Amino acid sequence: MTIAESETRKGVIAAIGTYSIWGMLPLFFRLLHHVDPIEIVTQRVIWSVILILVLLAARKGLAAFVAALRTPRLVLPLMASAVMIAINWLVYVWAVNDGHVVACSLGYFLNPLVSVGLGVVILKERLRRGQMLAIAIAAIGVAILAAAALTTLWISLALAISFALYGLIRKLTPVAPMTGLGVETLLLVAPAIGYLIWLSGHGGISFGQDVPTTGLLILAGGVTTVPLVLFATAAQRLPLATLGLLQYLAPTLQFLCGVVLLGETLSQGQMLSFGLIWLGLILFASDSYAAARRNRLATA
């Protein structure tokens, strides 16, 4: 096995690990169904930032982290990305524990298409015909879903839009992935601690009430940070086309968790909607892979 093949293999393993963890998160958060969703998110923030700082120290990245905190042109956009990821986490945790895992999976199926739309509108990127066809088919699927499941459509759109905006802000912010994650998570610590102090005087917090709940809340930091580290590893070793195809593993697993393991039911309208969105995603991924292959052959 050549060095290039070995690096690619490591990248594929890291990507599968990333998307598998993200795909199985509904099962993890359902174990915390008795905990206030906002407390879950605040605990997730606090334990994530501790783990991130440990990782930055191990990678000798604390100097870059402190430098970023002292740079207003980095801190301001990272404040915005922190708000977007906080909204995404809160909506996701609430929706999972309220029995809307399928709606969550739809949000992450839609996310790449929303990201493409933002690229066209804000970054003035141009679409190929295959991409435009894929987005049009997916848009029809969303329109059908709006008619068939209007009460949960907001969940899917909130997740897709918040994560797409998060990705856009991070793309435009010149900071390393782990450093940026550390800064934006640290910016959320103060409101997280403030909420926990308030909650302790209004009904009490779940952390510390029993060993299983406390352990799961601490573990929430790990299931937030570890897949992001694996993702960074995969992104360094894999072509974007390969990474893009593998990313659909996460919402597919979420969908299966909702329908097969958690007993959520699908209406005919939802089934038709998902079918069209999956078709759009297949066309979009196929077009992206073909374009990447053409570019690779042209530069060979």
Side-chain angles (χ1 to χ4, degrees):
M1 182 182 294
T2 65
I3 294 177
E5 290 173 338
S6 176
E7 289 298 295
T8 299
R9 182 181 179 185
K10 290 178 183 177
V12 170
I13 293 172
I16 291 174
T18 297
Y19 296 128
S20 296
I21 292 172
W22 280 339
M24 302 303 287
L25 275 183
L27 300 181
F28 174 81
F29 285 120
R30 284 298 283 268
L31 296 175
L32 291 167
H33 67 277
H34 57 291
V35 180
D36 170 43
I38 302 180
E39 182 185 350
I40 295 176
V41 173
T42 55
Q43 296 283 358
R44 191 177 183 183
V45 166
I46 292 168
W47 295 106
S48 292
V49 80
I50 293 172
L51 181 56
I52 291 167
L53 290 175
V54 170
L55 291 172
L56 285 172
R59 295 181 170 193
K60 297 180 171 56
L62 286 178
F65 171 74
V66 173
L69 280 173
R70 293 176 175 175
T71 308
R73 67 182 180 87
L74 296 179
V75 171
L76 290 176
L78 289 173
M79 287 178 64
S81 65
V83 171
M84 288 299 106
I85 200 64
I87 291 171
N88 186 272
W89 287 352
L90 183 58
V91 171
Y92 181 82
V93 171
W94 175 85
V96 165
N97 285 346
D98 204 53
H100 302 300
V101 176
V102 170
C104 290
S105 72
L106 174 61
Y108 291 110
F109 275 122
L110 289 175
N111 171 250
L113 303 178
V114 175
S115 294
V116 170
L118 289 175
V120 171
V121 174
I122 297 176
L123 303 180
K124 307 302 180 184
E125 296 176 350
R126 300 185 65 180
L127 294 179
R128 297 181 296 273
R129 289 183 180 179
Q131 291 176 315
M132 289 189 287
L133 176 61
I135 291 173
I137 291 173
I140 294 172
V142 174
I144 293 173
L145 185 67
L150 189 60
T151 56
T152 59
L153 179 64
W154 72 270
I155 296 173
S156 305
L157 294 179
L159 291 174
I161 293 171
S162 62
F163 202 71
L165 287 172
Y166 172 79
L168 176 65
I169 295 168
R170 289 302 303 271
K171 179 180 177 64
L172 297 175
T173 307
V175 64
M178 185 62 69
T179 301
L181 179 63
V183 172
E184 62 194 12
T185 309
L186 184 65
L187 292 171
L188 293 172
V189 167
I193 292 175
Y195 178 78
L196 290 177
I197 293 173
W198 177 87
L199 187 63
S200 65
H202 295 77
I205 61 175
S206 296
F207 185 85
Q209 294 295 316
D210 58 77
V211 173
T213 299
T214 301
L216 287 170
L217 289 172
I218 294 174
L219 189 58
V223 300
T224 298
T225 305
V226 169
L228 290 171
V229 174
L230 290 174
F231 178 80
T233 301
Q236 291 172 351
R237 290 169 169 80
L238 295 177
L240 286 178
T242 304
L243 199 62
L245 289 173
L246 288 172
Q247 75 174 315
Y248 299 117
L249 175 63
T252 299
L253 287 174
Q254 290 178 15
F255 178 83
L256 292 174
C257 282
V259 175
V260 178
L261 299 179
L262 300 177
E264 293 188 29
T265 57
L266 292 175
S267 67
Q268 289 185 340
Q270 286 176 307
M271 292 177 65
L272 177 59
S273 173
F274 267 87
L276 288 170
I277 291 168
W278 276 329
L279 176 59
L281 288 172
I282 291 170
L283 291 173
F284 184 83
S286 300
D287 180 84
S288 298
Y289 183 80
R293 184 178 175 82
R294 287 194 298 268
N295 292 336
R296 202 162 51 243
L297 293 174
T299 56

